[in-house]
Amino acid sequence: MANIHKSVLELVGNTPLVEVTNYEEKHHLKGRLIGKLEFLNPSGSVKDRIAKSLVEDGIARGKVSEGGTIVDCTSGNTGISLATVCAVHKLQLDLYLEPGTTKERQQVYDAFGLDVKTLYDLDEVKDFEKTGLVLDDLIAGLQRVADEKENAYYVSQTQNEVNQETHYKTTGPEIWRDTDGKVDYFVALGGTAGTLVGVGRYLREKNPDVKIIGVQAAPSSRPDSPDFTGKIIDGTLPVGNVDESLIPTLIRTNLNNGFHFDEIIDVKAEDAYETAQDVIQTDGLFLGTSAAAALTAGRRIAERPEAEGKNIVVIFPDNGYKYLSTDLFKRNK
């Protein structure tokens, strides 16, 4: 009976690493591409890690208790993870959706019985399409919502340092352990950037020579770009080479904390879609858009002569099931 868990939250983390050997062979790659399958967390994404930590940190500090309410905004996966954690801890969830949330995610929210809102329901940012989304205004709006409720806590995934510390304490050590410390490159995209920062900090402390590679949507795949093609890499933000105000808070607050990029790679959504369609046939991996974009960047590294025989660890945040209503797996005839 010792292996019977008492809740799904006991299953968060310790996700496996898998080398995409057939994909490597097909593309004659020099480096080894190793994916960390974060979609094997209980609710299907890497965000289970931070949702559990953010909520349980709030409970431990007396910010919220059973029967209370968790408040935050999400582009999709964090909301599902928070719903899972709140169900286990007998909490309510007041969730505000960012634009672009897929139909499948909204159906999951329905399954949880959530009455989700959107950013248009926050007075502080309701005109964001005209004025631009100001992060400080969004934070102020969500904090107001929490303050107006009794026994409510705004977990603030975008700026709460518990986010990146979770990955520093769990995801980074797991990668180091499972590769026997043989990590040459670490590759990931950023949303809140907690994974990038936390894992990057940990690996660099263990090996100062490890290369930390940030991946972001190319300008043509960003909705605010005049060159936008209409194809996006879901749930991601630029991590560099843009105005500092657009860079995730957790990157900016940890630049003096041992974190920095060795390289930032732009990936077009169309290239990520092609990768997703490719690797499901070569290795049976059904990847979401950001996972496919990270693999696309990893492949570019693995093609380089200097990467021959090197281990390139890539974060796969979620799988493709939440993207079936999008063009991710729509093949050109």
Side-chain angles (χ1 to χ4, degrees):
M1 300 287 282
N3 287 326
I4 298 177
H5 298 278
K6 295 299 185 181
S7 87
V8 295
L9 301 187
E10 295 178 10
L11 305 177
V12 174
N14 288 305
T15 55
L17 295 176
V18 174
E19 184 176 358
V20 288
T21 54
N22 292 339
Y23 185 83
E24 293 169 354
E25 181 181 2
K26 176 180 177 179
H27 295 287
H28 310 290
L29 301 181
K30 299 179 183 298
R32 300 176 63 206
L33 285 172
I34 302 165
K36 187 158 177 62
L37 309 189
E38 286 296 294
F39 53 79
L40 293 181
N41 279 300
S43 86
S45 87
V46 66
K47 296 297 187 177
D48 282 3
R49 293 180 185 265
I50 66 164
K52 179 176 184 292
S53 293
L54 290 169
V55 171
E56 292 181 351
D57 175 71
I59 293 171
R61 293 191 296 116
K63 299 293 184 179
V64 68
S65 59
E66 184 175 317
T69 302
I70 294 297
V71 177
D72 210 348
C73 64
T74 180
S75 63
N77 283 334
T78 303
I80 294 171
S81 295
L82 285 172
T84 302
V85 175
C86 286
V88 172
H89 284 291
K90 301 177 182 177
L91 295 164
Q92 304 301 311
L93 179 59
D94 200 345
L95 202 60
Y96 289 80
L97 295 187
E98 299 168 13
T101 301
T102 63
K103 175 182 178 181
E104 291 82 1
R105 288 187 177 93
Q106 293 173 3
Q107 291 172 327
V108 175
Y109 298 140
D110 288 343
F112 274 103
L114 297 177
D115 181 19
V116 297
K117 304 175 184 67
T118 71
L119 299 192
Y120 301 108
D121 296 308
L122 286 172
D123 288 342
E124 290 83 351
V125 294
K126 64 183 180 181
D127 296 323
F128 72 90
E129 286 190 333
K130 298 177 182 177
T131 61
L133 183 59
V134 178
L135 182 58
D136 287 345
D137 291 343
L138 175 60
I139 292 169
L142 293 166
Q143 187 62 60
R144 174 185 56 77
V145 169
D147 290 343
E148 290 175 351
K149 292 177 178 287
E150 184 177 352
N151 191 17
Y153 176 50
Y154 168 36
V155 293
S156 190
Q157 61 160 322
T158 59
Q159 61 176 359
N160 193 330
E161 292 292 341
V162 169
N163 182 337
Q164 63 91 11
E165 283 292 337
T166 297
H167 292 287
Y168 178 85
K169 294 176 180 177
T170 66
T171 321
E174 289 170 23
I175 291 171
W176 188 257
R177 177 197 69 202
D178 292 345
T179 60
D180 295 327
K182 297 178 174 64
V183 185
D184 300 293
Y185 296 84
F186 172 68
V187 181
L189 282 90
T192 60
T195 309
L196 261 173
V197 172
V199 176
R201 283 181 55 222
Y202 181 85
L203 294 179
R204 180 159 283 128
E205 287 181 12
K206 301 297 288 187
N207 174 15
D209 294 327
V210 69
K211 304 296 184 186
I212 308 302
I213 312 298
V215 186
Q216 62 187 14
S220 64
S221 301
R222 299 176 198 164
D224 60 351
S225 169
D227 301 322
F228 182 48
T229 64
K231 309 291 187 185
I232 67 169
I233 298 174
D234 189 81
T236 64
L237 293 171
V239 296
N241 304 326
V242 295
D243 186 273
E244 185 176 332
S245 65
L246 301 175
I247 296 175
T249 302
L250 295 177
I251 290 178
R252 290 185 275 116
T253 56
N254 282 277
L255 291 176
N256 296 319
N257 195 23
F259 176 79
H260 67 269
F261 292 112
D262 291 281
E263 184 179 356
I264 295 174
I265 296 177
D266 284 6
V267 173
K268 294 180 180 178
E270 291 85 352
D271 292 339
Y273 294 5
E274 183 178 332
T275 297
Q277 294 170 21
D278 190 4
V279 76
I280 192 172
Q281 294 199 5
T282 61
D283 292 78
L285 281 171
F286 191 36
L287 301 183
T289 54
S290 60
L295 180 57
T296 303
R299 173 182 165 182
R300 293 180 191 170
I301 295 167
E303 291 171 337
R304 300 171 182 173
E306 66 269 23
E308 185 167 0
K310 303 293 187 180
N311 290 330
I312 304 161
V313 176
V314 182
I315 294 290
F316 293 162
D318 70 352
N319 61 31
Y321 288 105
K322 302 186 192 85
Y323 305 91
L324 292 174
S325 63
T326 74
D327 290 341
L328 178 57
F329 295 100
K330 184 177 180 180
R331 297 183 179 274
N332 295 324
K333 302 297 183 180

